[in-house]
Amino acid sequence: MLQGKNAVITGSTSGIGLGIATQLAKAGVNVVINSFTDREDDYAIADKLAQDHKVKAAYFSADMSDADACVALVEGATEKLGPISILVNNAGIQFVAPVEDFPPEKWDAIMAINLSSAFHTTRTAVPGMKAFGWGRIINISSAHGLTASPFKSAYVAAKHGLVGFTKSVALELAEQNITCNAVCPGYVMTPLVEAQIPDQMKAHNMDRETVIREVMLDRQPTREFATVEQIGDIVAFLCSEAATQITGTPLSVDGGWTAL
Ligand code: NAD
């Protein structure tokens, strides 16, 4: 069913985005991967996906903090591959600080990349999905889209916003054979999480191992990180026939975190 369909995955040269691109490519989906770095390595990742999985794959550099670049990503991908029927809004950044010290420019960047980019790519992709008669929009939110932690005010606000956006878009498109869902991971070991560890060590005055055990995985009852392959497979499931009636849903993949 997914064979030959075309997907755009934002922020996908590493971590969860690359895990999603890989699992979709494995299922036969042509993929456009994205970051804002425009390095040779980025193009090499796309070439490898194409070779490994015998699909079309391309890299498109676009800064997801820039509305015009979000539009250009979807338009460029459509020119390259044809109708984009799978859109995965994954790009995201994190910054950790007490609210009174939170730099306003970091707040703005988190809102732009983690929330507004999904609006700009979605508004650009939806007419093509309607014309194609089938579509899947999957927004990578977070356990922090459903619950909160201290020192992450911008991230928590943006991820809650993304869940609200998901529900609204799902209702608008419910009769168009286009679903819109959010995936809400707990901790997945990726460069984004690795980069948070020093800030968390400072904020909690703890060493690395204690932060991992007592701050990060303390919230995750399974005491295990989710893997990028698991998140990729869940995205592929949301694109499958079995998931046709799942729409407007925040799907937790958090080892029980939000059951607490
Ligand atoms: P990561 O840092 O490994 O990857 C982020 C990707 O986004 C990279 O490819 C990076 O190049 C790209 N990116 C960053 N800023 C960008 C910009 N301005 N324009 C285009 N691309 C940009 O992070 P990750 O952990 O894989 O996170 C991916 C998504 O999953 C994020 O939205 C994050 O909030 C969410 N998430 C992650 C975890 C986790 O534990 N890792 C948990 C819940 C949710």
Side-chain angles (χ1 to χ4, degrees):
M1 163 176 181
L2 293 182
Q3 201 85 26
K5 293 216 162 70
N6 301 322
V8 168
I9 305 105
T10 71
S12 44
T13 53
S14 73
I16 292 173
L18 183 54
I20 294 168
T22 304
Q23 300 312 100
L24 286 178
K26 256 189 201 168
V29 175
N30 303 315
V31 292
V32 169
I33 60 166
N34 152 260
S35 73
F36 62 102
T37 43
D38 206 19
R39 300 163 310 174
E40 260 177 43
D41 286 1
D42 298 324
Y43 294 88
I45 294 169
D47 290 345
K48 187 166 181 336
L49 283 169
Q51 264 171 19
D52 288 355
H53 305 293
K54 311 280 176 274
V55 295
K56 292 181 200 157
Y59 169 76
F60 198 105
S61 180
D63 184 347
M64 293 297 99
S65 67
D66 174 351
D68 292 342
C70 296
V71 172
L73 169 63
V74 175
E75 289 180 347
T78 307
E79 256 169 51
K80 190 129 197 136
L81 295 181
I84 301 302
S85 53
I86 300 171
L87 171 65
V88 184
N89 291 305
N90 168 76
I93 59 167
Q94 174 64 285
F95 190 82
V96 179
V99 68
E100 67 272 31
D101 300 330
F102 212 94
E105 62 278 11
K106 291 285 185 197
W107 173 278
D108 289 344
I110 287 175
M111 287 299 154
I113 296 166
N114 296 20
L115 178 58
S116 300
S117 72
F119 160 63
H120 296 299
T121 55
T122 299
R123 71 183 170 85
T124 312
V126 161
M129 290 182 183
K130 283 183 175 174
F132 188 68
W134 185 93
R136 294 286 183 266
I137 302 166
I138 295 151
N139 297 319
I140 306 305
S141 179
S142 168
H144 283 119
L146 302 168
T147 185
S149 295
F151 313 120
K152 295 185 176 177
S153 54
Y155 188 85
V156 168
K159 293 297 188 181
H160 273 70
L162 195 54
V163 170
F165 177 70
T166 300
K167 292 179 183 176
S168 196
V169 171
L171 295 179
E172 286 181 37
L173 300 174
E175 292 186 58
Q176 314 277 340
N177 209 16
I178 302 169
T179 66
C180 181
N181 291 291
V183 176
C184 297
Y187 277 106
V188 187
M189 188 44 98
T190 67
L192 181 138
V193 167
E194 187 61 50
Q196 282 177 54
I197 294 173
D199 287 340
Q200 289 277 21
M201 286 165 64
K202 212 159 78 185
H204 295 275
N205 197 22
M206 289 176 177
D207 65 23
R208 181 186 164 85
E209 293 315 310
T210 314
V211 157
I212 290 176
R213 196 181 58 250
E214 290 184 16
V215 179
M216 294 180 158
L217 294 183
D218 181 53
R219 304 284 295 276
Q220 204 142 305
T222 57
R223 304 270 174 183
E224 286 179 16
F225 288 104
T227 68
V228 299
E229 291 78 13
Q230 288 166 348
I231 306 295
D233 280 340
I234 284 159
V235 168
F237 163 70
L238 287 172
C239 294
S240 73
E241 180 63 29
T244 302
Q245 292 303 318
I246 301 177
T247 195
T249 299
L251 186 59
S252 290
V253 189
D254 62 8
W257 176 337
T258 47
L260 282 173

